[in-house]
Amino acid sequence: KTLVSTQKHMLLVGPTGTGKSLYMKDYLMRGMDKEVWQYMNFTFSAQTSANMTQDIVDGKLDKRKKGVYGPRPGKRCVIFVDELNMP
């Protein structure tokens, strides 16, 4: 909670099956002020390509000008990447 509110990047690591993804998704859906924050959730797989990821990010953000994207005015955005260790 503190890391998100102070706009710090983080990497949550730990053994399989300990609830890392569940904890983060629950916080993103229920613990953040929807008036201020929006979030994106990515679950990578072996078939996920860089172009697919870029298309998803671009599709969920507003286009500000050519090549510049961001959340809606007045909002902040959190991007949650699950399964970062996929090939």
Side-chain angles (χ1 to χ4, degrees), residues 70-85:
R72 287 179 267 147
K75 287 206 168 205
R76 295 280 193 191
C77 184
V78 173
I79 299 175
F80 174 60
V81 179
D82 198 9
E83 300 300 335
L84 186 62
N85 199 32

Side-chain angles (χ1 to χ4, degrees), residues 49-87:
S49 69
N51 287 338
M52 288 169 60
T53 304
Q54 186 70 51
D55 291 342
I56 293 169
V57 171
D58 291 348
K60 293 186 178 185
L61 296 174
D62 290 348
K63 187 173 184 177
R64 306 265 171 91
K65 57 184 179 179
K66 184 175 181 178
V68 178
Y69 294 83
R72 287 179 267 147
K75 287 206 168 205
R76 295 280 193 191
C77 184
V78 173
I79 299 175
F80 174 60
V81 179
D82 198 9
E83 300 300 335
L84 186 62
N85 199 32
M86 293 301 292

Side-chain angles (χ1 to χ4, degrees), residues 28-29 56:
L28 292 172
M29 288 190 297
I56 293 169

Side-chain angles (χ1 to χ4, degrees), residues 12-38:
L12 185 62
V13 297
T16 302
T18 56
K20 300 177 298 292
S21 297
L22 181 66
Y23 174 79
M24 288 305 301
K25 288 177 185 177
D26 182 62
Y27 174 72
L28 292 172
M29 288 190 297
R30 297 187 187 133
M32 294 186 352
D33 182 1
K34 303 290 190 264
E35 298 296 318
V36 178
W37 295 94
Q38 77 179 58

